[in-house]
């Protein structure tokens, strides 16, 4: 009466495909890096300075092997799924508790109002929750944490203290001077010098990291005109401070949208950098922009000009005006030209909210 047990050959049971190996290995390593980031954050809270330790080429390649673009698209679809009314409060309450969200600032505090996670992530604030500083020249375009700021030197920008990236790699090739209405820089000048349009000016930068619990919309940091958009499809690695300290030129690897134009002191740009689960970057006045799309390949970029025969001035933006939004959280990088007496009113690592002063003359 014994029953026969049919077994498959061992080779078939343990057959692994290269894709599965990459996902398992890369995912495991990403988890290990998350744990390392947590330990670094604990050291920083205790006031212990953490030495810079950059990732090797193989570590970066292994991290990039994780299909973060595919996973982010799947996460985006999941966020669009409408939750049953009875489930909304428990799910959102867990998120609020985990990331310290202040719902008293939200325009709609009732959690049942948000049909899905995407709507909750992109919640609007009460008008009085973020007063815009009228005195300073440049305000924070978003809530977040200041990772770095200061004057740009030798065509290198600091993403965090001690870790830099190339200005030209980040912004891409120089946009035509006719398109931005800038004077032609003398031949032979460096990329940095070509961006400076007025004698005596310098280039400055500011990096703001948006955590998952932060307000996810971003606004115009000053009065300026947007003339050009450049979209870089790329990886979607995490951009939290621990990873930014670990991977050199992290912002140059990741998908990003660069808005370029000018303000009263010359060149001005705002770059929205994508991250894991943040493949969706939306610019309100740009309906042609589609980020984290499989139709775009990594390593390329596509340009779009807002100057045309019908609109020769570009898109004017007022300080504090709604500009765009992320899904979840990410990073904003400001690179702009200003006189030498421009001063930042910041400290590295400080928390900042949309509308507060970044700097002034």
């Amino acid at each position: 009466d014994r029953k026969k047990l049919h077994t498959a050959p061992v080779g078939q049971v343990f057959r692994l495909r290269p894709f599965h190996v990459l996902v398992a290995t890369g995912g495991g390593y990403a988890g290990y890096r998350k744990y390392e980031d947590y330990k670094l954050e604990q050291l920083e809270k205790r006031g212990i300075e953490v030495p810079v330790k950059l990732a090797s080429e193989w570590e970066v390649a292994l991290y990039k092997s994780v299909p973060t673009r595919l996973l982010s698209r799947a996460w985006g679809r999941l966020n669009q799924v409408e939750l049953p009314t009875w489930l909304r409060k428990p799910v959102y309450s867990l998120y609020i508790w985990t990331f310290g969200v202040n719902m008293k600032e939200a325009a709609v505090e009732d959690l049942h109002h948000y049909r899905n996670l995407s709507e909750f992530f992109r919640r609007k604030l009460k008008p009085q929750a973020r007063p815009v500083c009228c005195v300073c020249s440049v305000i924070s375009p978003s809530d977040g944490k200041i990772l770095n700021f200061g004057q740009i030197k030798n065509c290198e920008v600091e993403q965090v203290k001690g870790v830099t990236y190339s200005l030209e790699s980040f912004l891409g090739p120089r946009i035509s001077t006719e398109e931005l209405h800038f004077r032609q820089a003398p031949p032979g000048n460096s990329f940095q010098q070509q961006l400076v349009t007025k004698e005596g000016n310098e280039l400055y930068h500011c990096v703001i990291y948006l955590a998952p619990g932060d307000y996810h919309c971003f606004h115009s940091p000053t009065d300026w005109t947007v003339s050009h958009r450049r979209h870089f499809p790329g990886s979607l690695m995490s951009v939290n401070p621990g990873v930014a300290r670990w991977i050199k030129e992290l912002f140059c690897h990741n998908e990003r949208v660069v808005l370029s134009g000018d303000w009263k002191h010359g060149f001005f740009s705002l770059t929205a950098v994508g991250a894991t689960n943040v493949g969706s970057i939306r610019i309100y006045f740009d309906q042609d922009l589609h980020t984290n799309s499989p139709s775009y390949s990594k390593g390329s970029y596509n340009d779009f000009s807002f100057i045309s025969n019908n609109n020769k001035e570009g898109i004017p933006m007022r300080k504090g005006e709604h500009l765009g939004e992320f899904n979840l959280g990410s990073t904003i990088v400001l690179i702009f030209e200003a006189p030498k007496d421009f001063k930042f009113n910041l400290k590295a690592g400080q928390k900042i909210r949309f509308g507060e002063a970044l700097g002034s003359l």
Side-chain angles (χ1 to χ4, degrees):
D1 298 328
R2 291 179 182 178
K3 294 181 179 179
K4 292 184 179 180
L5 179 66
H6 296 277
T7 59
V10 175
Q12 293 181 10
V13 175
F14 294 100
R15 183 181 298 169
L16 293 175
R17 298 179 181 179
F19 176 76
H20 297 154
V21 174
L22 285 175
V23 171
T25 307
Y29 193 75
Y32 165 74
R33 286 308 312 172
K34 285 286 187 182
Y35 173 68
E36 290 293 309
D37 295 340
Y38 171 77
K39 291 198 300 183
L40 291 176
E41 287 179 6
Q42 297 305 308
L43 291 175
E44 286 182 344
K45 287 180 180 179
R46 292 160 54 187
I48 301 174
E49 187 172 349
V50 182
V52 174
K53 183 181 178 182
L54 294 177
S56 61
E57 289 186 8
W58 73 265
E59 287 178 309
V60 176
L62 181 59
Y63 191 1
K64 292 175 74 172
S65 70
V66 179
T68 51
R69 288 170 62 85
L70 179 62
L71 293 173
S72 296
R73 284 195 288 270
W75 175 255
R77 291 191 179 95
L78 179 63
N79 286 351
Q80 298 290 337
V81 175
E82 185 169 341
L83 297 176
T85 305
W86 61 269
L87 188 59
R88 294 174 189 177
K89 189 171 183 178
V91 170
Y92 302 147
S93 296
L94 177 62
Y95 186 91
I96 291 168
W97 177 79
T98 303
F99 297 108
V101 178
N102 184 4
M103 284 303 293
K104 292 183 179 180
E105 297 177 333
V108 180
E109 297 183 37
D110 182 12
L111 297 180
H112 297 100
H113 169 80
Y114 303 100
R115 294 173 297 177
N116 51 49
L117 283 167
S118 181
E119 287 189 2
F120 180 72
F121 292 149
R122 296 180 288 108
R123 64 194 176 276
K124 299 295 186 290
L125 298 181
K126 295 173 182 175
Q128 67 274 20
R130 296 291 186 275
V132 175
C133 178
C134 300
V135 179
C136 60
S137 304
V138 184
I139 62 169
S140 176
S142 67
D143 289 7
K145 178 181 180 181
I146 301 295
L147 293 191
N148 215 306
F149 63 92
Q151 187 176 322
I152 297 175
K153 298 179 180 179
N154 303 321
C155 294
E156 291 284 323
V157 189
E158 280 195 316
Q159 59 190 30
V160 293
K161 186 177 180 181
V163 182
T164 62
Y165 56 93
S166 163
L167 179 64
E168 186 169 6
S169 297
F170 182 68
L171 295 178
R174 182 77 172 92
I175 302 167
S176 66
T177 54
E178 293 81 6
E179 190 170 330
L180 293 181
H181 304 293
F182 290 166
R183 63 171 175 82
Q184 182 68 47
N189 280 2
S190 68
F191 183 83
Q192 179 178 337
Q193 291 171 323
Q194 291 178 35
L195 295 179
V196 177
T197 64
K198 297 181 181 180
E199 188 174 351
N201 281 1
E202 299 288 348
L203 271 187
Y204 298 88
H205 79 285
C206 183
V207 183
I208 305 170
Y209 166 69
L210 289 75
D214 287 328
Y215 168 56
H216 293 95
C217 297
F218 52 93
H219 301 245
S220 175
T222 192
D223 295 333
W224 64 308
T225 301
V226 183
S227 305
H228 186 271
R229 180 258 291 160
R230 175 168 285 162
H231 172 215
F232 290 86
S235 301
L236 289 172
M237 295 184 283
S238 171
V239 292
N240 74 52
V243 178
R245 188 184 295 106
W246 179 56
I247 297 181
K248 183 178 174 64
E249 298 203 334
L250 170 65
F251 299 156
C252 298
H253 290 296
N254 272 15
E255 181 151 6
R256 61 197 182 278
V257 176
V258 182
L259 299 179
S260 302
D262 63 293
W263 70 318
K264 59 183 178 181
H265 299 297
F267 174 78
F268 198 97
S269 72
L270 180 149
T271 302
V273 183
T276 308
N277 295 336
V278 199
S280 174
I281 302 171
R282 181 184 174 193
I283 304 298
Y284 293 138
F285 57 75
D286 188 353
Q287 303 302 318
D288 296 319
L289 175 65
H290 301 286
T291 56
N292 195 16
S293 170
S295 59
Y296 295 121
S297 59
K298 295 181 183 179
S300 63
Y301 66 86
N302 53 83
D303 288 342
F304 184 85
S305 175
F306 297 109
I307 296 177
S308 62
N309 293 330
N310 297 327
N311 178 21
K312 296 184 179 180
E313 299 298 326
I315 308 294
M317 297 296 300
R318 303 294 296 175
K319 183 167 65 175
E321 186 177 352
H322 279 83
L323 182 55
E325 63 187 34
F326 292 111
N327 270 331
L328 203 55
S330 194
T331 297
I332 289 179
V333 180
L334 301 180
I335 296 176
F336 57 92
E337 174 185 0
K340 291 182 178 180
D341 57 350
F342 181 87
K343 300 293 182 183
F344 284 102
N345 305 320
L346 302 171
K347 291 182 180 179
Q350 78 172 71
K351 293 287 292 182
I352 197 166
R353 305 203 302 177
F354 156 62
E356 295 179 344
L358 285 185
S360 59
L361 298 169

PDB file of all heavy atoms in Angstrom, residues 14-15 75 82-83 95-96 148 185 194 200 206 225 229 250 272 279 309-310 312 321 343 347:
ATOM      1  N   PHE A  14      16.778  23.392  -8.250  1.00  0.00           N
ATOM      2  CA  PHE A  14      17.668  24.469  -7.847  1.00  0.00           C
ATOM      3  C   PHE A  14      18.161  25.308  -9.025  1.00  0.00           C
ATOM      4  O   PHE A  14      19.204  25.935  -8.950  1.00  0.00           O
ATOM      5  CB  PHE A  14      18.875  23.887  -7.089  1.00  0.00           C
ATOM      6  CG  PHE A  14      18.507  23.261  -5.775  1.00  0.00           C
ATOM      7  CD1 PHE A  14      18.372  21.893  -5.663  1.00  0.00           C
ATOM      8  CD2 PHE A  14      18.260  24.050  -4.666  1.00  0.00           C
ATOM      9  CE1 PHE A  14      18.013  21.307  -4.462  1.00  0.00           C
ATOM     10  CE2 PHE A  14      17.899  23.487  -3.458  1.00  0.00           C
ATOM     11  CZ  PHE A  14      17.775  22.113  -3.345  1.00  0.00           C
ATOM     12  N   ARG A  15      17.434  25.268 -10.113  1.00  0.00           N
ATOM     13  CA  ARG A  15      17.839  26.058 -11.275  1.00  0.00           C
ATOM     14  C   ARG A  15      17.587  27.545 -10.984  1.00  0.00           C
ATOM     15  O   ARG A  15      16.469  27.938 -10.672  1.00  0.00           O
ATOM     16  CB  ARG A  15      17.051  25.633 -12.510  1.00  0.00           C
ATOM     17  CG  ARG A  15      17.495  26.372 -13.781  1.00  0.00           C
ATOM     18  CD  ARG A  15      16.646  25.916 -14.950  1.00  0.00           C
ATOM     19  NE  ARG A  15      16.822  24.488 -15.200  1.00  0.00           N
ATOM     20  CZ  ARG A  15      16.049  23.785 -16.023  1.00  0.00           C
ATOM     21  NH1 ARG A  15      15.034  24.379 -16.642  1.00  0.00           N
ATOM     22  NH2 ARG A  15      16.272  22.492 -16.204  1.00  0.00           N
ATOM     23  N   TRP A  75       5.702  49.935  -7.377  1.00  0.00           N
ATOM     24  CA  TRP A  75       5.283  50.655  -6.171  1.00  0.00           C
ATOM     25  C   TRP A  75       4.309  51.767  -6.536  1.00  0.00           C
ATOM     26  O   TRP A  75       3.332  52.017  -5.825  1.00  0.00           O
ATOM     27  CB  TRP A  75       6.507  51.208  -5.463  1.00  0.00           C
ATOM     28  CG  TRP A  75       6.217  52.064  -4.268  1.00  0.00           C
ATOM     29  CD1 TRP A  75       6.314  53.418  -4.183  1.00  0.00           C
ATOM     30  CD2 TRP A  75       5.765  51.628  -2.977  1.00  0.00           C
ATOM     31  NE1 TRP A  75       5.956  53.860  -2.930  1.00  0.00           N
ATOM     32  CE2 TRP A  75       5.610  52.779  -2.173  1.00  0.00           C
ATOM     33  CE3 TRP A  75       5.475  50.378  -2.436  1.00  0.00           C
ATOM     34  CZ2 TRP A  75       5.181  52.715  -0.855  1.00  0.00           C
ATOM     35  CZ3 TRP A  75       5.054  50.319  -1.118  1.00  0.00           C
ATOM     36  CH2 TRP A  75       4.913  51.469  -0.345  1.00  0.00           C
ATOM     37  N   GLU A  82      -7.052  51.917  -4.873  1.00  0.00           N
ATOM     38  CA  GLU A  82      -7.959  52.542  -3.894  1.00  0.00           C
ATOM     39  C   GLU A  82      -8.170  51.611  -2.699  1.00  0.00           C
ATOM     40  O   GLU A  82      -8.497  50.434  -2.858  1.00  0.00           O
ATOM     41  CB  GLU A  82      -9.295  52.868  -4.556  1.00  0.00           C
ATOM     42  CG  GLU A  82     -10.247  53.622  -3.648  1.00  0.00           C
ATOM     43  CD  GLU A  82     -11.457  54.161  -4.378  1.00  0.00           C
ATOM     44  OE1 GLU A  82     -11.398  54.276  -5.629  1.00  0.00           O
ATOM     45  OE2 GLU A  82     -12.457  54.463  -3.715  1.00  0.00           O
ATOM     46  N   LEU A  83      -7.958  52.166  -1.510  1.00  0.00           N
ATOM     47  CA  LEU A  83      -8.115  51.392  -0.282  1.00  0.00           C
ATOM     48  C   LEU A  83      -9.566  51.428   0.190  1.00  0.00           C
ATOM     49  O   LEU A  83     -10.245  52.458   0.061  1.00  0.00           O
ATOM     50  CB  LEU A  83      -7.213  51.954   0.819  1.00  0.00           C
ATOM     51  CG  LEU A  83      -5.702  51.911   0.575  1.00  0.00           C
ATOM     52  CD1 LEU A  83      -4.967  52.603   1.715  1.00  0.00           C
ATOM     53  CD2 LEU A  83      -5.223  50.481   0.421  1.00  0.00           C
ATOM     54  N   TYR A  95       1.767  54.831   8.846  1.00  0.00           N
ATOM     55  CA  TYR A  95       2.731  55.662   8.122  1.00  0.00           C
ATOM     56  C   TYR A  95       3.038  56.937   8.925  1.00  0.00           C
ATOM     57  O   TYR A  95       4.194  57.341   9.047  1.00  0.00           O
ATOM     58  CB  TYR A  95       2.160  56.023   6.747  1.00  0.00           C
ATOM     59  CG  TYR A  95       3.137  56.760   5.856  1.00  0.00           C
ATOM     60  CD1 TYR A  95       3.970  56.061   4.995  1.00  0.00           C
ATOM     61  CD2 TYR A  95       3.219  58.151   5.866  1.00  0.00           C
ATOM     62  CE1 TYR A  95       4.857  56.729   4.169  1.00  0.00           C
ATOM     63  CE2 TYR A  95       4.105  58.823   5.053  1.00  0.00           C
ATOM     64  CZ  TYR A  95       4.925  58.108   4.209  1.00  0.00           C
ATOM     65  OH  TYR A  95       5.810  58.779   3.407  1.00  0.00           O
ATOM     66  N   ILE A  96       2.022  57.569   9.472  1.00  0.00           N
ATOM     67  CA  ILE A  96       2.188  58.791  10.259  1.00  0.00           C
ATOM     68  C   ILE A  96       3.077  58.533  11.469  1.00  0.00           C
ATOM     69  O   ILE A  96       3.985  59.311  11.784  1.00  0.00           O
ATOM     70  CB  ILE A  96       0.814  59.334  10.703  1.00  0.00           C
ATOM     71  CG1 ILE A  96       0.049  59.868   9.492  1.00  0.00           C
ATOM     72  CG2 ILE A  96       0.965  60.419  11.765  1.00  0.00           C
ATOM     73  CD1 ILE A  96      -1.422  60.153   9.777  1.00  0.00           C
ATOM     74  N   ASN A 148      23.937  70.000   2.187  1.00  0.00           N
ATOM     75  CA  ASN A 148      25.129  70.800   1.918  1.00  0.00           C
ATOM     76  C   ASN A 148      24.740  72.089   1.217  1.00  0.00           C
ATOM     77  O   ASN A 148      23.673  72.183   0.600  1.00  0.00           O
ATOM     78  CB  ASN A 148      26.123  70.015   1.049  1.00  0.00           C
ATOM     79  CG  ASN A 148      27.567  70.319   1.415  1.00  0.00           C
ATOM     80  OD1 ASN A 148      27.959  71.484   1.424  1.00  0.00           O
ATOM     81  ND2 ASN A 148      28.327  69.299   1.728  1.00  0.00           N
ATOM     82  N   ALA A 185      30.007  83.013 -23.540  1.00  0.00           N
ATOM     83  CA  ALA A 185      31.217  83.000 -22.740  1.00  0.00           C
ATOM     84  C   ALA A 185      32.439  82.865 -23.653  1.00  0.00           C
ATOM     85  O   ALA A 185      32.378  82.221 -24.700  1.00  0.00           O
ATOM     86  CB  ALA A 185      31.187  81.835 -21.758  1.00  0.00           C
ATOM     87  N   GLN A 194      31.343  79.282 -17.736  1.00  0.00           N
ATOM     88  CA  GLN A 194      30.367  79.522 -18.794  1.00  0.00           C
ATOM     89  C   GLN A 194      28.971  79.771 -18.240  1.00  0.00           C
ATOM     90  O   GLN A 194      28.151  80.409 -18.892  1.00  0.00           O
ATOM     91  CB  GLN A 194      30.336  78.330 -19.752  1.00  0.00           C
ATOM     92  CG  GLN A 194      31.598  78.176 -20.591  1.00  0.00           C
ATOM     93  CD  GLN A 194      31.538  76.958 -21.488  1.00  0.00           C
ATOM     94  OE1 GLN A 194      30.469  76.606 -21.986  1.00  0.00           O
ATOM     95  NE2 GLN A 194      32.658  76.296 -21.691  1.00  0.00           N
ATOM     96  N   GLY A 200      31.926  89.402 -11.723  1.00  0.00           N
ATOM     97  CA  GLY A 200      31.906  89.556 -10.272  1.00  0.00           C
ATOM     98  C   GLY A 200      30.991  88.589  -9.555  1.00  0.00           C
ATOM     99  O   GLY A 200      30.966  88.560  -8.324  1.00  0.00           O
ATOM    100  N   CYS A 206      22.820  74.414  -3.201  1.00  0.00           N
ATOM    101  CA  CYS A 206      22.169  73.999  -1.960  1.00  0.00           C
ATOM    102  C   CYS A 206      21.456  72.679  -2.228  1.00  0.00           C
ATOM    103  O   CYS A 206      20.735  72.547  -3.231  1.00  0.00           O
ATOM    104  CB  CYS A 206      21.177  75.055  -1.478  1.00  0.00           C
ATOM    105  SG  CYS A 206      20.391  74.650   0.103  1.00  0.00           S
ATOM    106  N   THR A 225      12.624  82.895 -14.320  1.00  0.00           N
ATOM    107  CA  THR A 225      11.990  82.435 -15.554  1.00  0.00           C
ATOM    108  C   THR A 225      12.610  81.120 -15.974  1.00  0.00           C
ATOM    109  O   THR A 225      13.833  81.020 -16.118  1.00  0.00           O
ATOM    110  CB  THR A 225      12.163  83.468 -16.680  1.00  0.00           C
ATOM    111  OG1 THR A 225      11.585  84.712 -16.272  1.00  0.00           O
ATOM    112  CG2 THR A 225      11.487  82.993 -17.952  1.00  0.00           C
ATOM    113  N   ARG A 229      14.105  72.595 -19.974  1.00  0.00           N
ATOM    114  CA  ARG A 229      14.025  71.392 -19.138  1.00  0.00           C
ATOM    115  C   ARG A 229      14.886  70.302 -19.743  1.00  0.00           C
ATOM    116  O   ARG A 229      14.822  70.035 -20.943  1.00  0.00           O
ATOM    117  CB  ARG A 229      12.577  70.919 -19.004  1.00  0.00           C
ATOM    118  CG  ARG A 229      12.438  69.659 -18.142  1.00  0.00           C
ATOM    119  CD  ARG A 229      12.252  68.409 -18.975  1.00  0.00           C
ATOM    120  NE  ARG A 229      10.955  68.388 -19.638  1.00  0.00           N
ATOM    121  CZ  ARG A 229      10.684  67.632 -20.691  1.00  0.00           C
ATOM    122  NH1 ARG A 229      11.613  66.870 -21.236  1.00  0.00           N
ATOM    123  NH2 ARG A 229       9.493  67.680 -21.250  1.00  0.00           N
ATOM    124  N   LEU A 250      26.386  60.242  -6.722  1.00  0.00           N
ATOM    125  CA  LEU A 250      25.087  59.569  -6.631  1.00  0.00           C
ATOM    126  C   LEU A 250      24.031  60.308  -7.440  1.00  0.00           C
ATOM    127  O   LEU A 250      23.248  59.689  -8.175  1.00  0.00           O
ATOM    128  CB  LEU A 250      24.660  59.484  -5.160  1.00  0.00           C
ATOM    129  CG  LEU A 250      23.231  59.016  -4.879  1.00  0.00           C
ATOM    130  CD1 LEU A 250      23.037  57.568  -5.326  1.00  0.00           C
ATOM    131  CD2 LEU A 250      22.894  59.156  -3.397  1.00  0.00           C
ATOM    132  N   ALA A 272      15.230  68.329  -9.652  1.00  0.00           N
ATOM    133  CA  ALA A 272      14.521  67.349  -8.840  1.00  0.00           C
ATOM    134  C   ALA A 272      15.147  65.986  -9.123  1.00  0.00           C
ATOM    135  O   ALA A 272      15.127  65.513 -10.263  1.00  0.00           O
ATOM    136  CB  ALA A 272      13.036  67.340  -9.192  1.00  0.00           C
ATOM    137  N   GLY A 279      10.142  57.258  -8.641  1.00  0.00           N
ATOM    138  CA  GLY A 279      10.383  57.427 -10.070  1.00  0.00           C
ATOM    139  C   GLY A 279       9.509  58.502 -10.680  1.00  0.00           C
ATOM    140  O   GLY A 279       9.776  58.995 -11.765  1.00  0.00           O
ATOM    141  N   ASN A 309       7.994  80.586 -30.624  1.00  0.00           N
ATOM    142  CA  ASN A 309       7.575  81.802 -31.319  1.00  0.00           C
ATOM    143  C   ASN A 309       6.431  82.501 -30.590  1.00  0.00           C
ATOM    144  O   ASN A 309       6.322  83.733 -30.602  1.00  0.00           O
ATOM    145  CB  ASN A 309       7.146  81.454 -32.749  1.00  0.00           C
ATOM    146  CG  ASN A 309       8.308  80.982 -33.586  1.00  0.00           C
ATOM    147  OD1 ASN A 309       9.443  81.408 -33.360  1.00  0.00           O
ATOM    148  ND2 ASN A 309       8.055  80.111 -34.551  1.00  0.00           N
ATOM    149  N   ASN A 310       5.585  81.688 -29.940  1.00  0.00           N
ATOM    150  CA  ASN A 310       4.452  82.275 -29.211  1.00  0.00           C
ATOM    151  C   ASN A 310       4.826  82.696 -27.797  1.00  0.00           C
ATOM    152  O   ASN A 310       4.147  83.521 -27.196  1.00  0.00           O
ATOM    153  CB  ASN A 310       3.302  81.258 -29.143  1.00  0.00           C
ATOM    154  CG  ASN A 310       2.773  80.902 -30.517  1.00  0.00           C
ATOM    155  OD1 ASN A 310       2.757  81.742 -31.420  1.00  0.00           O
ATOM    156  ND2 ASN A 310       2.345  79.652 -30.685  1.00  0.00           N
ATOM    157  N   LYS A 312       8.275  83.785 -26.077  1.00  0.00           N
ATOM    158  CA  LYS A 312       9.705  84.050 -26.189  1.00  0.00           C
ATOM    159  C   LYS A 312      10.364  84.327 -24.838  1.00  0.00           C
ATOM    160  O   LYS A 312      11.575  84.512 -24.768  1.00  0.00           O
ATOM    161  CB  LYS A 312       9.937  85.236 -27.131  1.00  0.00           C
ATOM    162  CG  LYS A 312       9.487  84.961 -28.558  1.00  0.00           C
ATOM    163  CD  LYS A 312       9.808  86.116 -29.474  1.00  0.00           C
ATOM    164  CE  LYS A 312       9.380  85.807 -30.905  1.00  0.00           C
ATOM    165  NZ  LYS A 312       9.684  86.918 -31.845  1.00  0.00           N
ATOM    166  N   GLU A 321       5.482  79.975  -5.530  1.00  0.00           N
ATOM    167  CA  GLU A 321       4.459  79.390  -6.401  1.00  0.00           C
ATOM    168  C   GLU A 321       4.669  77.885  -6.538  1.00  0.00           C
ATOM    169  O   GLU A 321       5.801  77.389  -6.574  1.00  0.00           O
ATOM    170  CB  GLU A 321       4.536  80.055  -7.777  1.00  0.00           C
ATOM    171  CG  GLU A 321       3.447  79.652  -8.748  1.00  0.00           C
ATOM    172  CD  GLU A 321       3.537  80.410 -10.072  1.00  0.00           C
ATOM    173  OE1 GLU A 321       4.349  81.357 -10.176  1.00  0.00           O
ATOM    174  OE2 GLU A 321       2.793  80.046 -11.000  1.00  0.00           O
ATOM    175  N   LYS A 343      24.853  85.453   0.973  1.00  0.00           N
ATOM    176  CA  LYS A 343      25.113  84.696   2.190  1.00  0.00           C
ATOM    177  C   LYS A 343      23.975  83.713   2.462  1.00  0.00           C
ATOM    178  O   LYS A 343      22.806  84.078   2.387  1.00  0.00           O
ATOM    179  CB  LYS A 343      25.261  85.633   3.399  1.00  0.00           C
ATOM    180  CG  LYS A 343      26.401  86.637   3.278  1.00  0.00           C
ATOM    181  CD  LYS A 343      27.763  85.951   3.292  1.00  0.00           C
ATOM    182  CE  LYS A 343      28.890  86.978   3.231  1.00  0.00           C
ATOM    183  NZ  LYS A 343      30.232  86.317   3.164  1.00  0.00           N
ATOM    184  N   LYS A 347      22.661  75.951   8.369  1.00  0.00           N
ATOM    185  CA  LYS A 347      23.643  75.070   8.981  1.00  0.00           C
ATOM    186  C   LYS A 347      23.462  73.684   8.369  1.00  0.00           C
ATOM    187  O   LYS A 347      22.330  73.233   8.190  1.00  0.00           O
ATOM    188  CB  LYS A 347      23.456  74.997  10.497  1.00  0.00           C
ATOM    189  CG  LYS A 347      23.796  76.284  11.238  1.00  0.00           C
ATOM    190  CD  LYS A 347      23.624  76.093  12.735  1.00  0.00           C
ATOM    191  CE  LYS A 347      23.957  77.383  13.488  1.00  0.00           C
ATOM    192  NZ  LYS A 347      23.772  77.214  14.963  1.00  0.00           N
TER     193      LYS A 347
END
